[in-house]
Amino acid sequence: MNKYVKVMFGNKGADYEYKIDEVNVTNVWNPEAKSGKEFGGFNFTTPEKLLRWLHRGNTIYDVIIPDDAIVVDVKDSATPHGVFRSDKIILTNPRKVTDDMALEFYKISTIPEEAYPNALGGVAVMNYFKTAKTILKDKVNKDNINFYLSEWNDFTSKHNRKNCNDTVIYIDKELNSISKG
C-alpha cells in the first residue's frame, strides 16, 4: 500500500476548501481529459516525490484513499514527478512544514535529476534555508550550472519570486557566483 501526502496552504486548494478527516468528493472527474482542469479530481503525491511540490503550500496532510475511490497515476512528460489524482480523498494529520521537514523530504527524494532546479526554487521561495543550501551544495556544479540557472531564472521570474525572501536572494547570488566560476 502506497503512502500518499498532499501539501497546500491551510485547507484550501486552488478552488476547493477541503474537509479534514472526512471524505472529499470532486465535482469534476474525467480521467480521459488532457488538461488538469478538465481532468478534475484531487492531486497528491508520495513522500519521496513531495520535495518538488513544497512550494504549493505550508501544510502537509496524509492522504487516505477511500475503498470506492478511483486513483490515476498521472504519467506524462509534464508531470514526471509523482502526481496522482483521485475522485475521492480523505486528508488527515495536518502539520506545518518546517525547514527540517523539507530537509528530510530532500533526503528521501526520488525525483528525477532534472526536477531538482525547480525543487531548489520551491524550497527557496518557501524560505527553507537549510534545505535550499543543501540542495545547492549537493546538486549544483560548474558542469550543470547553466541548466540550474536557466531553470532557476524561469521559476523565480514568476509571481514576483525573484527577491521574495533572504533565502532566494542568497541562492540567486550563489548560483551566479558558481556561473562566473
Side-chain angles (χ1 to χ4, degrees):
M1 183 166 139
N2 286 331
K3 175 172 175 139
Y4 297 115
V5 292
K6 181 171 183 66
V7 63
M8 61 186 165
F9 291 99
N11 69 332
K12 292 183 173 79
D15 54 3
Y16 187 86
E17 188 167 333
Y18 290 81
K19 298 172 278 186
I20 310 307
D21 296 318
E22 295 181 37
V23 176
N24 293 273
V25 180
T26 185
N27 294 326
V28 178
W29 182 246
N30 179 7
E32 305 303 317
K34 299 297 180 205
S35 77
K37 279 212 182 276
E38 291 175 8
F39 194 115
F42 304 111
N43 289 337
F44 51 96
T45 191
T46 63
E48 297 80 19
K49 305 291 186 187
L50 185 63
L51 179 72
R52 173 61 185 90
W53 305 108
L54 285 177
H55 70 285
R56 297 277 177 102
N58 60 3
T59 307
I60 295 173
Y61 295 86
D62 293 329
V63 174
I64 298 170
I65 306 299
D67 290 339
D68 62 340
I70 300 167
V71 175
V72 175
D73 183 349
V74 180
K75 294 180 181 176
D76 65 38
S77 62
T79 57
H81 312 301
V83 175
F84 299 87
R85 288 184 186 251
S86 181
D87 61 335
K88 300 175 188 172
I89 63 174
I90 300 168
L91 300 180
T92 188
N93 192 24
R95 53 228 181 261
K96 291 290 183 190
V97 182
T98 65
D99 196 0
D100 288 334
M101 289 171 70
L103 188 57
E104 288 304 312
F105 285 114
Y106 168 64
K107 289 176 181 175
I108 66 167
S109 178
T110 61
I111 62 175
E113 281 301 313
E114 68 269 13
Y116 280 100
N118 280 329
L120 175 61
V123 297
V125 164
M126 295 303 291
N127 212 17
Y128 304 138
F129 183 77
K130 285 190 296 190
T131 307
K133 194 171 173 183
T134 302
I135 294 171
L136 178 74
K137 178 179 75 70
D138 290 352
K139 298 290 183 182
V140 182
N141 58 58
K142 64 180 177 157
D143 295 328
N144 65 16
I145 187 61
N146 290 335
F147 175 63
Y148 267 81
L149 261 178
S150 173
E151 295 292 307
W152 171 265
N153 288 331
D154 181 59
F155 186 87
T156 58
S157 68
K158 298 171 186 162
H159 311 291
N160 297 317
R161 295 172 173 160
K162 195 65 172 175
N163 295 301
C164 67
N165 64 46
D166 290 341
T167 302
V168 170
I169 293 167
Y170 173 84
I171 296 297
D172 189 70
K173 180 179 149 221
E174 292 299 308
L175 287 170
N176 283 293
S177 175
I178 293 168
S179 172
K180 291 179 176 119

